[in-house]
Amino acid sequence: MSDATESDADGTTAAPERPQSPLARRTRTFVRRFRRNRLAMGGLVVTAGFVLLALLAPVLAPYDPAAVDVPARLQGPSPAHPFGTDRYGRDLFSRVLFGARIALQVAVATPLVAGAVGVPIGLVAGYVGGRVDDVLMRLMDSVFAFPAILLGLTLVAVFGQSLTNIVVALGIVYVPQFARVTRGSAVSVVEEEHVRVARSLGASHARIVLVHVLPFCLSAILVQATVTAALAIVLESSLSFLGVGVPSPTPSWGSILRVGKGYVDSGEWWYSVFPGVAIVIAVLGFNLLGDGLRDVLDPRTDPNR
Amino acid sequence: MSEPLLRVENLRTQFGRRDPLVAVDGISYDLRAGETLGIVGESGAGKSVSVRSLVGLIDDGEVAGSVEWRGEELVGAKPRELRAVRGSGIGMVFQNAEAAFDPIETVGRQIVEAVRANRDLSKRDARTEAIDLLEEVGIGDPAGRFDDYPHEYSGGMAQRAGIAMALAGEPDLLIADEPTTGLDVSVQAGIVDLFRDLVAERDMSLLLISHDLGVVSQLCERIMVMYAGRIVERGSRKQLLDSPRHPYTGAFLRSVPDVDVRKDLEPIGGSPPSLDDPPAGCRFHPRCPAAEAGVCDGAAPPTVSFEDGGEDAERHEATCHGYTDAHPGGDAFDREAVEWIEPADGAERGER
Amino acid sequence: MVSRLQAFLIRRLLWALPVLALVSVAIFGLIRLVPGDPAIVMLGADAPPAQLAAVRAELGLDEPLPVQYVDYVADAVRGDLGRSYVDDREVSAAIASRLPTTLFLTAAGFLVSLTIAIPAGLLSATNRGEWLDGVGLGFGLLGVSVPNFWLGVVLLLLFGVTLDWLPVAGYVSPLEDPVAGIRYLLLPGITLGTAMAAVVTRMLRSELLEELRREYLNAVRMKGVGELRVLTHATKNAFIPVVTVIGMQFGYLLGGSIVVETVFSIPGMGRLLIDAIQSRDYIMLQGVVLVYTTFFVAVNIVVDGAYFYLNPKLGGER
């Protein structure tokens, strides 16, 4: 577990060579505070478990998630089928395990897409300031003017349904939040001593932004990425539940629930319960991790909380 | 002599259970009706905590000892009992006046709330009373300023309004916690005059906290000097200003500009100790010019009483090793004036 | 004479115009973004040529894009959102018939969320570190982690099917039959409101904790009033920043209603939207999205106005 903590921390902060640099100091403090934070560690455990299950799904799943067995359809939980079977007799446990792979892809790819667009926007807005800042942020606000689900639905309706399109759509939905968060940190970092020194030494704008500004925005971006992962899982499953998500044969948690909902009245509760619990656990893990990271990275928070 | 209004016995306030920070470390004093008492000391000496401890305003710390208000114990009192004393018995004026008002309610309504909490008045009568109070504390156009928000008042006016709010329950004792700090000197003078008038006209007692000896000496007949959670010297204004007995009091007088005594200013070297790990023995010894190794850094210092200031003088006491035989003494310590010495454990009292 | 609040609202409205303009461009561009001929996308390649031509004419696809846009905006401002190609309904009429349902549902979710969040946030903050606070914190975390559609399904299973207390699907307008209307809205309202309740609980808790440390509360205590009065002062102050969050959440409730309408088979705008997407009824889609967005922008303006009004430092309440 502690290995994961280390790699997580290293991944966030691209530690520079000089050990006395402020960044290295922040990294060390970060790791120490992270280990002490119950929320963060709890979130890490749950998230790591989720990632592991998703990666090992082909090994762990007792059945082929697509294997139809009509005589065994709509069976309740049993030792043979711990989560029961669906309307074609497919093993729901295997399908939920494979569903984790979809959720994992969404959780990883969405923040990457949103960050790839939003972070540069936020950096430019925060670093350049003035009118550029105004225009960019107003643009972000108008994207934000769409409720996420509405934007997601509309984009998927236009692009067409595929996992790639959904990730791109979700990515667009969360661009403004990355831009906002990055701009917020960038604005405060730009005023700091080391940036002014770099500027007076004649470093290029690109170099200042990449070397002296971006690294100090990473903690806020990391928190945002974690929160976005949680939101993206919820949104993808919502879209799939509405029938506008990942196309049908793929076992996305949302699309399993979409079909399962049709069996609520007739009492096949397992159809709706287990995939939902899977979503809640995965989302809860990222939310815990996000809350924990926020506490850990915010110097004002009380460590005894 | 009549029963004291307020009797404080061995008051002790600490924060945190592990490695507790003892902000007030066993202080005792009496306050009679109509008296004016000042507590002076550097910031961080525990003055503010000590008065907040009296009226139950400490919520994250522990208060021990005894605080009797008209014979009724306030330490550990029920919320209802504290409520009865607050407002009508004891009113409080806070340091930062604007911060002492709810920012989203008008000043007038907040004073009305204080009036109605203590007196059975109709809304209209309470409003009239609140406007009278604002006038009494010197707010021009009180009816017109009634509906202003706290941030629309200047610092001095906000403090006057804060005093009006504290007076709304017609208290017998007014506690003022650094009421002039952060105000311009000219504004300060007005506030000091206001307190003097109010104490005289309303026949109130005043307990004034300040790091400004000038303000305290203008308003208070009796003064206590607090250092690192303890009282190191107490006496009448005249006793303290004319013949300070504790080296800290002397140093404090020399460091303050606007006291009657005209001297060159000498800042006190070093800084006040941290209260989570105070120095052993006399807490002032690391900064004391007359500190004696092996004496001042060992046992807690004894309390020494002095004969000075005439017949009906207050008791003048200092808590210092300098008057004992263990200490070589010196110019700073006038042993002729010592009346008696009470060792720190309080067991015996010896004539000198 | 314009009051400061009015001046603020005017500024805010002016600010909303470019946002709405951008949004309208985006919506307008939507069906033109679809790869291929929009008419064929909508009707299918084997549609009769006459029908295809009609669609192209209606969309003005032969005109240059700026002309098309101006026509579109001019029509939209007059309330003409076009006609559905699937069932030939007027889009604005279809929306008008569905809008009240969605607004009732959103209002129900709003009420439910504040009914939960205000006591939960207050109890959590005033019992900091005790078990009640733990419950509040747990609710705050779980509430944002449970997707609303699944919560709806679970509530259906529990209260609709297993216990059979409440209807599982459908809608009755509370205006026509208040009792039945509320029975139908109860589960959807809880489903919709829970996530917002969680967000507001967390926010209210942290704002109130911050507020409870303020000096003015000691001044209030020193008046000799009870702790309830003290808490009232703190809560009023803590609420000002929370209002902003509540407003933002109101917009998300509108979004969430799309999902909840599907779960509970409620014939609102959300169903209209999903049906439009599934039948590739892009004209309908365009209209519904425009109405949703306009509501969202309007709510934001109202919320900003409320924040301004409540905060005397900005020149509001008198």
Side-chain angles (χ1 to χ4, degrees), chain A residues 17-35:
Chain A
E17 317 81 345
R18 291 167 303 148
Q20 75 277 25
S21 80
L23 211 56
R25 204 170 341 108
R26 286 186 204 191
T27 309
R28 271 201 309 278
T29 323
F30 169 77
V31 172
R32 185 162 34 82
R33 291 190 60 165
F34 191 97
R35 285 206 174 123

Side-chain angles (χ1 to χ4, degrees), chain A residues 243-270:
Chain A
V244 195
V246 183
S248 161
T250 322
S252 151
W253 290 336
S255 33
I256 301 175
L257 285 166
R258 171 182 172 74
V259 179
K261 205 243 146 185
Y263 294 91
V264 163
D265 293 356
S266 45
E268 281 89 8
W269 55 269
W270 59 90

Side-chain angles (χ1 to χ4, degrees), chain C residues 31-229:
Chain C
I31 48 174
R32 285 147 184 95
L33 262 177
V34 183
D37 181 344
I40 294 179
V41 171
M42 276 189 259
L43 300 180
D46 41 338
Q51 218 178 330
L52 287 175
V55 171
R56 291 197 191 100
E58 168 75 24
L59 287 174
L61 292 177
D62 311 325
E63 308 275 350
L65 273 178
V67 176
Q68 290 181 36
Y69 177 69
V70 171
D71 282 351
Y72 166 71
V73 171
D75 285 350
V77 168
R78 277 187 277 116
D80 177 6
L81 296 171
R83 243 168 216 289
S84 158
Y85 283 94
V86 175
D87 51 14
D88 201 39
R89 280 178 300 175
E90 267 212 51
V91 170
S92 48
I95 291 174
S97 73
R98 300 293 190 94
L99 187 59
T101 307
T102 294
L103 291 183
F104 268 118
L105 172 59
T106 310
F110 191 72
L111 277 180
V112 166
S113 64
L114 292 191
T115 310
I116 298 173
I118 292 173
L122 285 177
L123 287 173
S124 200
T126 49
N127 294 281
R128 185 180 186 175
E130 290 166 35
W131 68 270
L132 257 175
D133 188 22
V135 171
L137 279 170
F139 172 70
L141 202 60
L142 205 62
V144 295
S145 302
V146 177
N148 52 9
F149 67 87
W150 187 64
L151 178 64
V153 169
V154 170
L155 290 177
L156 270 183
L157 268 172
L158 213 62
F159 295 101
V161 178
T162 308
L163 297 170
D164 198 16
W165 286 352
L166 291 162
V168 291
Y171 172 79
V172 171
S173 167
L175 294 179
E176 283 162 20
D177 182 346
V179 175
I182 288 169
R183 276 173 56 84
Y184 273 98
L185 274 176
L186 202 58
L187 290 184
I190 294 171
T191 305
L192 185 55
T194 299
M196 169 173 164
V199 173
V200 175
T201 301
R202 289 168 66 129
M203 174 92 182
L204 184 57
R205 175 184 181 273
S206 70
E207 287 297 330
L208 195 56
L209 281 178
E210 190 101 340
E211 208 60 37
L212 284 171
R213 288 199 291 263
R214 299 283 208 90
E215 178 83 324
Y216 74 83
L217 293 182
N218 281 331
V220 172
R221 287 190 182 99
M222 284 311 293
K223 295 173 184 180
V225 299
E227 276 301 302
L228 204 62
R229 285 290 309 157

Side-chain angles (χ1 to χ4, degrees), chain A residues 85-110:
Chain A
T85 60
D86 73 358
R87 60 176 168 173
Y88 300 122
R90 291 177 296 199
D91 178 47
L92 275 172
F93 180 65
S94 305
R95 288 184 72 74
V96 168
L97 268 178
F98 273 85
R101 294 169 79 83
I102 307 287
L104 180 61
Q105 290 175 58
V106 168
V108 172
T110 305

